[in-house]
């Protein structure tokens, strides 16, 4: 397929572009930042440019992953978030319909599911971890989440009114940099990321694979929205114990983990305040991450963790 990939110079785009080409697609990258993955330098907020790119390249499918996201909150005002994340998405959806594009994949975020109360976790008095599914009520806490939610709703609206097949992927975190120090193991970024694979992270390679599958399945699905995250080993009945004593719950799931962690000087978070449940993506999209906590433990046991977790 001839695919327009927005955000092609970004962290996800730089993995997704080559993955799309390896799967046989012809990819046109669009980004405000130049890179070898980006054929067209410009903004999704520029309607005329979007129209021209779709037409000039006879685009058959759009993967829209360009966005201002959480780290950009420091540098851009709310209007810029609305322009890029809301207007940009509307431009792509409406021009896709006008030009007969057959399918659309939108990269959203599990971050929009986190309100201040969930974020406060045990420190804020939570007695159980939040179990988050696609049906959980959402009340985004910042302009990033608010504009991503609005963009999701535009996807839903344009599908309903025009029939454009759209798959929305609410991905959990796959960024490489450290963040959210309240939850971090200060001594080791690898340790933090390994812990997060239990409940709120996936690798960028898995995020790219989810987009490829969504692209393939969009016409069968019509409209659908999925959480994509590494499979958590927990069940809902663990929610209270996860807040009270996460290491104990993890040890019940993976009896070998304390020794493997101790050998490397790693530690587990004391408390886990949320679990993103990707089971709908497994059941309906047929997508399950290849890398989860179990694979990290296998790598630790084989002492090849440097190699495995390099992509975390
Ligand atoms: N990184 C994560 O952990 C994470 C988690 C959940 C969802 N997401 C979503 O995944 C997508 C990709 O994230 P990423 O981590 O690769 O971010 P990134 O910042 O590395 O990439 C985003 C790209 O979008 C481009 N962009 C920004 N404004 C643009 C505009 N007006 N027009 C065209 N391009 C523009 C940027 O230049 C950048 O290259 C985003 O939609 C983000 O919201 C990311």
């Amino acid at each position: 397929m001839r695919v327009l990939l927005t955000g092609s110079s970004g962290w996800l785009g730089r993995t997704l572009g080559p993955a799309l080409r390896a799967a046989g697609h012809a990819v046109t990258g669009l980004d405000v930042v130049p890179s070898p993955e980006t054929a067209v330098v410009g903004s999704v907020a520029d309607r005329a440019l979007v129209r021209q790119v779709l037409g000039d390249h006879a685009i058959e499918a759009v993967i829209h992953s360009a966005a201002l996201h959480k780290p950009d909150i420091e540098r851009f005002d709310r209007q810029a978030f609305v322009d890029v994340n809301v207007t940009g998405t509307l431009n792509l959806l409406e021009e896709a319909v006008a030009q007969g594009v057959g399918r659309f994949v939108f990269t959203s975020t599990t971050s929009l599911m986190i309100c201040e109360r969930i974020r406060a976790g045990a420190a804020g008095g939570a007695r159980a971890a939040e179990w988050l599914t696609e049906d959980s009520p959402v009340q985004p806490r910042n302009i990033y989440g608010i504009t991503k939610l609005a963009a999701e709703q535009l996807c839903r609206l344009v599908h309903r009114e025009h029939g454009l097949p759209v798959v929305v992927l609410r991905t959990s975190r796959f960024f490489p940099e450290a963040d959210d120090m309240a939850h971090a193991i200060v001594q080791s970024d690898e340790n933090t990321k390994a812990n997060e694979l239990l409940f709120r992270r996936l690798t960028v390679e898995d995020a790219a694979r989810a987009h490829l599958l969504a692209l393939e399945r969009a016409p069968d699905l019509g409209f659908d929205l999925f959480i994509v995250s590494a499979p958590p080993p927990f069940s809902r009945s663990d929610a209270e114990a996860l807040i009270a004593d996460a290491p104990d719950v993890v040890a019940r799931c993976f009896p070998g983990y304390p020794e493997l962690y101790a050998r490397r000087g790693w530690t587990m978070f004391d408390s886990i305040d949320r679990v993103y449940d990707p089971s709908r993506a497994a059941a309906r999209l047929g997508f399950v991450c290849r890398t989860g906590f179990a694979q990290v433990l296998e790598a630790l046991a084989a002492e090849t963790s440097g190699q495995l977790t390099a992509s975390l």
Side-chain angles (χ1 to χ4, degrees):
M1 261 178 288
R2 289 182 296 277
V3 182
L4 175 67
L5 172 63
T6 73
S8 45
S9 301
W11 174 238
L12 175 62
R14 293 195 310 270
T15 299
L16 184 49
L20 284 162
R21 276 196 296 279
H25 300 295
V27 184
T28 301
L30 168 65
D31 202 299
V32 280
V33 173
S35 84
E37 287 298 324
T38 294
V40 182
V41 176
S43 173
V44 293
D46 179 344
R47 179 84 170 224
L49 176 71
V50 167
R51 183 179 307 133
Q52 189 188 336
V53 174
L54 290 177
D56 286 356
H57 296 268
I59 294 297
E60 299 167 292
V62 173
I63 300 184
H64 178 31
S65 84
L68 291 185
H69 66 133
K70 201 170 141 220
D72 297 316
I73 291 177
E74 308 292 321
R75 295 184 293 130
F76 291 90
D77 63 11
R78 295 188 190 110
Q79 185 63 57
F81 272 81
V82 172
D83 293 345
V84 176
N85 294 357
V86 183
T87 305
T89 304
L90 184 64
N91 287 344
L92 286 157
L93 286 164
E94 290 190 341
E95 289 301 327
V97 169
Q99 300 198 32
V101 167
R103 55 190 84 188
F104 196 102
V105 177
F106 174 58
T107 316
S108 189
T109 173
T110 51
S111 158
L112 67 80
M113 304 170 75
I114 301 305
C115 59
E116 290 301 345
R117 180 184 56 76
I118 299 175
R119 190 175 159 73
R127 299 167 74 112
E130 292 282 335
W131 196 270
L132 294 158
T133 72
E134 292 81 356
D135 296 326
S136 299
V138 291
Q139 197 177 11
R141 68 182 189 281
N142 56 30
I143 191 66
Y144 172 50
I146 287 167
T147 52
K148 281 293 201 180
L149 181 60
E152 284 187 356
Q153 295 293 346
L154 289 172
C155 290
R156 202 182 282 275
L157 179 75
V158 169
H159 167 72
R160 197 173 66 234
E161 294 187 348
H162 300 281
L164 176 67
V166 186
V167 178
V168 175
L169 298 177
R170 273 189 194 165
T171 74
S172 67
R173 55 177 53 182
F174 53 81
F175 51 72
E177 66 274 16
D179 177 64
D180 200 0
M181 293 318 278
H183 287 94
I185 303 291
V186 178
Q187 300 85 337
S188 166
D189 191 39
E190 262 194 345
N191 183 174
T192 300
K193 287 173 179 160
N195 293 0
E196 288 177 348
L197 280 173
L198 287 161
F199 64 106
R200 67 176 312 185
R201 176 173 281 277
L202 75 172
T203 63
V204 70
E205 290 80 9
D206 276 329
R209 284 181 52 241
H211 283 74
L212 275 164
L213 197 54
L215 186 70
E216 198 180 297
R217 297 286 322 284
D220 311 332
L221 292 166
F223 177 89
D224 219 326
L225 182 153
F226 301 105
I227 289 174
V228 288
S229 195
F234 315 120
S235 64
R236 284 170 188 257
S237 59
D238 293 320
E240 286 188 16
L242 282 169
I243 280 277
D245 188 351
D248 185 58
V249 185
V250 179
R252 271 195 272 125
C253 299
F254 298 99
Y257 114 81
E259 194 197 321
L260 288 168
Y261 260 45
R263 232 196 265 167
R264 215 175 154 86
W266 282 11
T267 55
M268 183 49 60
F269 302 146
D270 294 336
S271 181
I272 288 178
D273 57 7
R274 73 196 71 174
V275 177
Y276 296 121
D277 181 350
S279 52
R280 182 180 168 81
R284 278 186 60 82
L285 182 61
F287 176 76
V288 177
C289 288
R290 286 194 181 141
T291 302
F293 191 72
Q295 287 67 40
V296 171
L297 291 188
E298 279 169 23
L300 286 179
E303 298 195 330
T304 57
S305 69
Q307 193 187 344
L308 177 84
T309 55
S311 63
L312 286 179

